[in-house]
Amino acid sequence: MHVDAAKLTEFQKRVFAYVSKIPKGKVTTYEEVARAIGSPKAYRAVGNALRKNPFPGKIPCHRVIRSDGRAGKYLGKDGKKKMRMLAKEGLEFKKGRIRKQEKMQQK
DNA sequence: TCATTGGCTATCA
DNA sequence: CTGATAGCCAATG
């Protein structure tokens, strides 16, 4: 990203840069993103940044889920669509929860 | 499982 | 500063 297509804060740039690098078939959590960009406690702001999403379609925000294994929100609504897309990319689910390979499913 | 507190962080109105 | 928001953690009921 050497061009500024929009006025973003440094924080957001890092968030988008990281999220846009998420490979297909893989998911990440807000907490993980926040930690990767240097602010492990900014998970809140990370979700906020994605919500603003200046590059729709370019930023796979649907690959960013919650640490609980749930989808969180998508397009201002529930993560129904999110799960659908993730399921298509190879992710597995369990009654509304996403099963991550790095984490044991709880219950 | 769900709801509620309290604390954290970044950005906007 | 305040309130709100795509979150997280821990505790409580």
Side-chain angles (χ1 to χ4, degrees), chain A residues 20-40:
Chain A
S20 61
K21 279 174 186 161
I22 302 173
K24 178 184 133 191
K26 184 159 186 133
V27 284
T28 242
T29 64
Y30 293 100
E31 194 272 315
E32 197 66 20
V33 174
R35 157 177 336 209
I37 65 180
S39 299

Side-chain angles (χ1 to χ4, degrees), chain A residues 6-107:
Chain A
K7 297 177 172 207
L8 306 173
T9 62
E10 296 296 309
F11 185 85
Q12 295 202 11
K13 286 184 194 169
R14 285 172 206 153
V15 175
F16 302 134
Y18 185 83
V19 174
S20 61
K21 279 174 186 161
I22 302 173
K24 178 184 133 191
K26 184 159 186 133
V27 284
T28 242
T29 64
Y30 293 100
E31 194 272 315
E32 197 66 20
V33 174
R35 157 177 336 209
I37 65 180
S39 299
K41 281 182 188 169
Y43 25 65
R44 247 290 198 173
V46 170
N48 240 344
L50 290 168
R51 162 181 113 177
K52 292 177 179 181
N53 201 357
F55 309 113
K58 234 174 173 184
I59 308 295
C61 12
H62 59 270
R63 286 188 204 150
V64 185
I65 61 176
R66 293 186 22 167
S67 305
D68 299 87
R70 295 194 193 172
K73 282 204 183 168
Y74 189 60
L75 304 175
K77 306 174 190 237
D78 301 333
K80 304 269 181 199
K81 188 161 190 175
K82 214 169 179 176
M83 299 168 139
R84 195 111 162 65
M85 297 166 82
L86 290 172
K88 248 176 212 227
E89 299 201 356
L91 270 293
E92 298 182 58
F93 290 84
K94 175 75 175 186
K95 280 299 192 235
R97 267 189 278 247
I98 300 171
R99 185 206 274 170
K100 296 193 302 171
Q101 33 183 282
E102 280 145 29
K103 188 176 182 181
M104 303 261 291
Q105 71 182 100
Q106 308 176 2
K107 293 186 184 174

